[in-house]
Amino acid sequence: MTGPLGQRTTVDATRPRVRFSPLGFGASQGGNLYRRTSDEAFAAAVDTAWAGGVRYFDTAPHYGLGLSERRLGAALRSRPRAEYVVSTKVGRLLVPSPETAHLRDPEGFDVPADHRRVWDFSRDGVHRSVEASLRRTGLDRIDVVYLHDPDDHWEQAAYEAMPALVELREQGVIGAIGAGMNQSAMLARFVTETDVDVVMCAGRYTLLEQGALTDLLPAAQARRVGVVIAGVYNSGLLARDLPPSDAAYNYQRAPVEVVGQARRIARVCQTYGVTLPQAALAFVRRHPAVVSTVVGVRDAVQVTETLRRFDTEVPDQLWAALYEAGLLDVQQ
């Protein structure tokens, strides 16, 4: 796969027209998620993604206490700014913590705990977070800003943070605004009750589970809001051709029955000549509200494999077979 992938915009022409590549680069592993990634490996991953046509890159302050943002900014800074989209997130301010700098970050990133995360969805917190992200990335603007995991902060997120993002969008500081979560119900509320352009839904619309079909996706279509799908492999369960018994699901070991469900899906996929990961990527992008699929990658090898999977043609008959077998909630 070479050259730019086709671009998709946020779906309402009256909203800021941010152009997403169908495949997005998830940069959490650039923040040393679970284990260390070298600067060179991350830069090579960005180079490989760029060569493969990826033009959407997602990061957050949470990822490695700012390390992901710094690395992503450095990897993109010399490229034509008009040719790519960067999203980051607000809601967790990074506060210096010299007293814990000798420890490792307790939230899953292999970095020194020299900062601590403080939840803050206030207007001031949003402005401070965006300013800090601009400094860390070294970019002249952020294209998309999401509220990050506001599950326990609806009131402040909806009535303080979101209006602050609207102001920044109107000022041209950012291009589009939204929320990113591991659930679909509250994202649907953001779509129907606030002025979002795009939302990121992780893990709730996948080949394994389609809960977002009951709330988020219909709301997004009705309001002409774009949906970015993340967590397409459900934390790794759908990332292998045949899921192992110790596969991860929702960031922990998958229950036996969930592994069994994924294996049944994999066997049907095999009969149609495609792998489980290939089908997982193809399934989500069929929905008309989906503007991009973000996949977390660590190095050039993972990027190359993801591009290969993404470029695989999947026969339409597979979806009907999965539906008839009771393995899909929707017949596509």
Side-chain angles (χ1 to χ4, degrees), residues 108-312:
F109 296 89
D110 186 11
V111 295
D114 53 7
H115 285 72
R116 57 188 175 87
R117 302 167 180 85
V118 177
W119 289 104
D120 192 335
F121 289 96
S122 68
R123 182 180 185 278
D124 179 64
V126 166
H127 282 264
R128 289 169 59 193
S129 187
V130 171
E131 289 170 1
S133 290
L134 286 168
R135 287 196 302 271
R136 283 190 291 266
T137 61
L139 301 176
D140 62 333
R141 68 181 185 279
I142 304 295
D143 301 288
V144 184
V145 176
Y146 299 108
L147 305 183
H148 199 182
D149 297 333
D151 304 67
D152 299 324
H153 307 273
W154 165 259
E155 294 293 326
Q156 190 177 51
Y159 301 116
E160 292 186 45
M162 194 58 73
L165 289 180
V166 170
E167 290 177 10
L168 292 172
R169 183 184 64 192
E170 291 175 348
Q171 294 167 7
V173 177
I174 54 183
I177 61 175
M181 306 180 71
N182 291 292
Q183 60 155 297
S184 60
M186 190 178 287
L187 285 178
R189 289 192 68 186
F190 278 110
V191 168
T192 57
E193 299 179 37
T194 73
D195 189 24
V196 296
D197 304 296
V198 60
V199 294
M200 176 178 284
C201 181
R204 304 288 77 82
Y205 184 64
T206 71
L207 189 59
L208 183 70
E209 56 177 291
Q210 296 91 52
L213 281 172
T214 65
D215 43 38
L216 172 61
L217 291 170
Q221 280 190 279
R223 293 292 294 266
R224 300 182 63 80
V225 168
V227 178
V228 172
I229 296 296
V232 68
Y233 298 139
N234 283 115
S235 302
L237 181 61
L238 305 182
R240 300 189 192 180
D241 294 1
L242 188 67
S245 58
D246 61 349
Y249 169 70
N250 280 354
Y251 310 106
Q252 55 190 354
R253 183 164 180 162
V256 173
E257 62 273 16
V258 175
V259 174
Q261 171 96 343
R263 286 176 174 174
R264 288 191 291 274
I265 295 172
R267 292 188 184 101
V268 176
C269 291
Q270 288 172 355
T271 66
Y272 286 87
V274 297
T275 67
L276 182 62
Q278 289 167 350
L281 284 169
F283 172 74
V284 297
R285 67 176 181 265
R286 290 171 61 86
H287 195 283
V290 174
V291 295
S292 188
T293 305
V294 168
V295 178
V297 286
R298 186 178 300 275
D299 53 33
V301 171
Q302 289 186 359
V303 174
T304 299
E305 177 62 18
T306 301
L307 288 165
R308 186 188 65 80
R309 290 172 174 176
F310 195 83
D311 205 30
T312 300

Side-chain angles (χ1 to χ4, degrees), residues 25-32 37-49 57-59 67-76 79 297-300 303:
F25 182 109
S28 61
Q29 296 181 70
N32 289 358
T37 302
S38 70
D39 292 343
E40 294 77 16
F42 182 79
V46 173
D47 288 343
T48 304
F57 301 84
D58 176 70
T59 183
L67 177 61
S68 174
E69 287 188 318
R70 291 192 295 272
R71 282 175 162 168
L72 185 61
L76 292 174
R79 305 181 191 275
V297 286
R298 186 178 300 275
D299 53 33
V303 174

